[in-house]
Amino acid sequence: MRLRHIPGAEEAVAESPYVIKEPQRFRGQFKNIFGNDNPIEIEIGMGKGKFVTQMAEKYPEINFIGAERYPSVLLYAIRKREQKELPNLFFLCLDAKKLADIFAPEEIAKIYLNFSDPWPKDRHAKRRLTSPDFIKVYDWILKKDGVIEFKTDNRELFDYSLNSIPQAGWKIDAFTKDLHHSDMAADNVMTEYEIKFSALGNPICKLIASR
Ligand code: SAH
């Protein structure tokens, strides 16, 4: 997401009670942040946080963490969170590369990747959040029966991911290249990008992967 830098965003993120500070200290103990043993699901690259906020409202028995690397973007999610009583939603301001240092093995039940940056050039393939290197990170933090759910309107990134995920030893359990007209659409919660791109007529792709 390309956004202008918002003055004061770093400070607002640093001060927000909804952003987990020095997350390494909770390694293996993230349940203490929520005060219960409910499963923890994370959205990586959540942007302004519409999806993860709505998911937290819809599924109060699941704990959600929204991870976003840019404070100027995360700020929008914090502002939404301030308007709602959602004890099952917290945020992390970090690069997804760091996730394996932050979470203990099997601490996470599900990972959502929504409209991840496509990085179209081959030489940038390693930066794609569905690259085999990133799948290794998810492999580390996800429970044995954990799943990855990925949505995008970018056909190149989607086709790449249909290959890269099995290359990393994972199975594609289900996929569609037109989510909104498929039977995978039940219970779909739209993201900000999903609303924007489907309004332009772009079909939305979705896959679900597990080991
Ligand atoms: N998920 C949202 C936003 C999609 S845009 C939606 O569907 O509407 C992709 C977002 O991922 C951007 O906000 C970008 O800053 C974030 N992002 C990209 N790579 C990341 C990384 N390595 N770690 C954390 N966030 C990342």
Side-chain angles (χ1 to χ4, degrees):
M1 183 173 290
R2 285 187 213 296
L3 263 193
R4 67 193 163 81
H5 176 255
I6 298 175
E10 279 82 3
E11 292 77 1
V13 165
E15 283 162 18
S16 171
Y18 307 118
V19 179
I20 305 165
K21 258 65 91 196
E22 295 175 55
Q24 301 83 333
R25 68 200 158 107
F26 292 104
R27 199 158 190 276
Q29 300 299 327
F30 273 84
K31 62 178 179 193
N32 294 343
I33 291 176
F34 298 98
N36 59 48
D37 276 328
N38 293 346
I40 301 175
E41 303 187 352
I42 62 177
E43 184 185 7
I44 303 175
M46 73 164 165
K48 295 180 182 175
K50 178 187 173 295
F51 171 84
V52 79
T53 303
Q54 248 179 281
M55 291 293 282
E57 286 177 296
K58 192 170 173 182
Y59 301 105
E61 73 292 358
I62 296 174
N63 295 324
F64 289 92
I65 296 178
E68 168 57 49
R69 68 176 159 189
Y70 292 125
S72 296
V73 183
L74 177 57
L75 195 55
Y76 288 86
I78 293 173
R79 296 294 178 242
K80 286 189 186 77
R81 174 68 180 80
E82 285 168 350
Q83 308 302 316
K84 306 191 190 241
E85 197 47 56
L86 284 173
N88 60 331
L89 175 61
F90 284 88
F91 304 120
L92 285 172
C93 190
L94 51 68
D95 191 307
K97 281 191 291 202
K98 306 253 169 70
L99 288 170
D101 302 327
I102 304 257
F103 293 107
E106 300 191 48
E107 198 162 17
I108 301 300
K110 202 186 257 195
I111 289 176
Y112 299 96
L113 303 170
N114 292 320
F115 297 81
S116 309
D117 297 346
W119 295 109
K121 294 191 176 117
D122 282 346
R123 66 189 160 89
H124 290 147
K126 282 194 158 197
R127 299 184 190 177
R128 298 174 192 150
L129 290 183
T130 52
S131 69
D133 282 357
F134 271 108
I135 303 294
K136 269 189 218 147
V137 172
Y138 311 150
D139 198 39
W140 174 257
I141 66 175
L142 273 172
K143 292 186 183 304
K144 292 271 172 287
D145 59 354
V147 296
I148 301 169
E149 293 198 8
F150 170 50
K151 292 197 280 190
T152 182
D153 69 319
N154 186 298
R155 195 57 80 84
E156 288 75 28
L157 179 64
F158 193 71
D159 288 338
Y160 164 84
S161 308
L162 285 175
N163 284 309
S164 63
I165 294 174
Q167 257 173 37
W170 284 58
K171 300 191 301 285
I172 307 287
D173 295 325
F175 77 92
T176 171
K177 293 188 181 183
D178 193 1
L179 174 63
H180 296 173
H181 302 103
S182 83
D183 51 12
M184 288 173 76
D187 292 328
N188 185 43
V189 170
M190 301 253 272
T191 80
E192 245 125 16
Y193 273 43
E194 185 170 358
I195 291 171
K196 190 164 107 184
F197 292 127
S198 56
L200 296 174
N202 298 3
I204 306 301
C205 306
K206 176 172 180 174
L207 66 79
I208 301 174
S210 68
R211 292 184 189 83

